[in-house]
Amino acid sequence: MKILVTGGAGYIGSHTCLELLKENYDVVVLDNFSNSCKESLNRVQNITGKTLSFYEADLLERPSIHQVFKDHTIDAVIHFAGLKAVGESVTIPLKYYHNNLTGTFNLLSVMDEFNVKNIVFSSSATVYGNPATLPITEDFPLSATNPYGRSKLVIEEILQDLYKSDKDWSIALLRYFNPVGAHESGEIGEDPQGMPNNLMPYISQVATGRLPRLSIFGGDYDTPDGTGVRDYIHVTDLALGHIHTLPKLISKTGVVIYNLGTGNGFSVLEMVKSFERASDRQIAYKITERRPGDIAACFADPSKAKKELGWEATKSLENMCQDTWNWQAKNPMGYRTHSKKE
Ligand code: NAD
Ligand code: UD1
């Protein structure tokens, strides 16, 4: 079975390609390397001892997508490609809407043309906005507070409309909570360009000395220790969630929605302490102002995915921190020892 992975060179995409190859899927990657580099795919192939096909191509250029579908008989698409920095999406919304929406339109229209109607879409817990209660189930009300989140919400709605118009489509909307960690080999991991926006890459760069100190955004939330609580999920568990989704996607048409999280919430301070244990280093931090748009706490009820997909996260917080540290210590500058396009 042949899977097209858009954005397959990125953080979650590369870990998913690895698990797909391990399960003997044929993998074709389409990525423009706007936030990644080819080295991640080289390493995926080295770890698995298997090869994948890849296209350096942009979803904004429809003919490039067309070429991939002409060259390969694709059974299903896992669609990771998109821009994901929330703050940047507020500053340059048109770029975000263009890339995430137009890119998805182009992909869906080429899929339709080639009669490939199986797609897994990377959605996000951000579509739940500020939830009234916890844990979050898939039927909670949806809202968006920034252009990035709105692009996810709109794409979810477009995909629902598509199925309503043509019942041959099979669509899985996977809402990720907070992916962290790295493959246990330490060969692939998260490699943010410039200043990290998210907690784990920030903490790990403080641990290596690349950044001087973590700012903890708010110590006065209504949480056990006053700092924000999130559902951190190991990226390998998340990748395996996609592997568990594929058989269902292929076997039955419709739209399915799953939370991919662990169901456990950890605070920023708990993350810092756990990372200190894993790395045997002290993380300098200071509690500062809340970050605008942040919510106090967010964690999933992942029981639907367990019941219907037979999937659940198995890796502990300790695993997440150890694997992040292993990757960061082995690759203090990420993939950057290699040139961006290499
Ligand atoms: P990432 O930036 O590492 O990967 C995205 C990949 O898409 C990159 O390799 C980038 O080069 C590529 N890309 C972007 N625009 C493209 C285009 N127009 N054409 C071709 N390739 C393009 O991000 P990630 O963390 O791996 O996230 C993957 C997906 O999961 C994204 O859609 C993201 O919004 C979603 N998501 C991520 C998180 C998270 O915290 N990492 C949480 C929820 C949802
Ligand atoms: C991020 C995304 C959100 C996405 C979610 C799941 C942002 C602003 N939001 O949310 O759209 O759905 O991931 O992947 O990027 N923190 C600090 N200091 C830091 C960084 C973070 O204290 O330097 C705190 C935050 O206040 C929060 C927690 O750490 O309480 C996690 O933050 P982050 O990793 O950015 O993820 P989310 O805010 O959950």
Side-chain angles (χ1 to χ4, degrees):
M1 188 155 300
K2 199 174 269 193
I3 311 297
L4 171 63
V5 184
T6 74
Y11 173 45
I12 306 170
S14 56
H15 288 80
T16 304
C17 287
L18 189 153
E19 299 301 331
L20 285 167
L21 290 174
K22 273 171 67 182
E23 291 295 317
N24 293 321
Y25 285 97
D26 290 322
V27 177
V28 181
V29 169
L30 181 158
D31 202 302
N32 65 1
F33 300 126
S34 58
N35 196 36
S36 56
C37 60
K38 199 184 151 196
E39 178 62 12
S40 65
L41 295 176
N42 293 340
R43 294 190 185 186
V44 164
Q45 294 178 98
N46 288 341
I47 296 165
T48 57
K50 294 184 179 165
T51 54
L52 49 75
S53 308
F54 82 90
Y55 288 76
E56 180 169 356
D58 198 316
L59 287 180
L60 296 178
E61 289 158 20
R62 199 176 180 282
S64 319
I65 312 175
H66 208 264
Q67 190 59 49
V68 177
F69 281 79
K70 259 170 64 184
D71 293 350
H72 299 271
T73 304
I74 301 292
D75 294 291
V77 177
I78 304 182
H79 178 33
F80 291 109
L83 298 175
K84 63 163 186 176
V86 172
E88 193 181 62
S89 82
V90 175
T91 319
I92 44 173
L94 295 183
K95 185 173 177 191
Y96 269 67
Y97 287 129
H98 185 43
N99 191 75
N100 293 1
L101 295 178
T102 314
T104 303
F105 293 149
N106 286 342
L107 174 68
L108 292 172
S109 72
V110 176
M111 288 177 68
D112 200 35
E113 187 183 330
F114 283 82
N115 204 30
V116 178
K117 296 185 176 177
N118 300 315
I119 184 167
V120 179
F121 174 61
S122 298
S123 190
S124 166
T126 195
V127 300
Y128 295 115
N130 193 351
T133 57
L134 293 168
I136 299 170
T137 53
E138 287 82 353
D139 55 1
F140 268 35
L142 305 179
S143 65
T145 51
N146 56 68
Y148 165 72
R150 194 159 293 112
S151 77
K152 292 291 173 198
L153 204 49
V154 169
I155 293 170
E156 284 202 3
E157 287 168 348
I158 290 168
L159 288 166
Q160 301 265 16
D161 288 342
L162 192 56
Y163 175 68
K164 277 183 211 145
S165 75
D166 176 353
K167 298 284 190 284
D168 287 340
W169 279 87
S170 184
I171 296 163
L173 309 177
L174 301 185
R175 295 178 180 154
Y176 312 154
F177 280 68
N178 289 57
V180 295
H183 186 254
E184 61 186 4
S185 63
E187 291 297 314
I188 58 170
E190 187 167 14
D191 183 22
Q193 310 295 307
M195 193 64 87
N197 296 305
N198 300 111
L199 181 65
M200 271 298 245
Y202 207 106
I203 291 181
S204 51
Q205 291 192 19
V206 173
T208 58
R210 200 166 144 187
L211 291 170
R213 189 175 64 182
L214 170 73
S215 295
I216 295 185
F217 300 141
D220 57 352
Y221 283 110
D222 183 16
T223 58
D225 64 21
T227 66
V229 166
R230 296 291 183 275
D231 185 340
Y232 297 94
I233 175 170
H234 195 292
V235 66
T236 295
D237 276 331
L238 190 64
L240 289 171
H242 296 72
I243 307 293
H244 279 75
T245 303
L246 283 175
K248 182 162 178 111
L249 190 78
I250 305 288
S251 67
K252 201 164 174 283
T253 63
V255 181
V256 290
I257 306 176
Y258 296 105
N259 284 340
L260 297 187
T262 65
N264 303 314
F266 289 103
S267 74
V268 178
L269 278 172
E270 285 175 309
M271 296 304 284
V272 168
K273 295 298 162 212
S274 180
F275 200 89
E276 285 184 334
R277 282 193 295 275
S279 62
D280 202 19
R281 299 199 175 190
Q282 265 212 306
I283 308 297
Y285 69 82
K286 183 173 183 239
I287 297 189
T288 61
E289 293 293 291
R290 293 181 179 191
R291 180 170 64 180
D294 268 358
I295 57 177
C298 168
F299 54 91
D301 176 343
S303 57
K304 187 177 175 210
K306 183 176 180 187
K307 188 164 163 239
E308 296 186 12
L309 303 177
W311 170 88
E312 68 181 319
T314 59
K315 290 183 181 279
S316 64
L317 181 60
E318 200 180 7
N319 296 145
M320 300 180 210
C321 292
Q322 277 167 348
D323 289 340
T324 304
W325 177 239
N326 187 28
W327 150 254
Q328 193 68 51
K330 271 186 162 175
N331 304 274
M333 301 302 284
Y335 296 113
R336 207 156 315 158
T337 37
H338 299 260
S339 72
K340 196 159 193 296
K341 294 271 158 107
E342 208 175 288

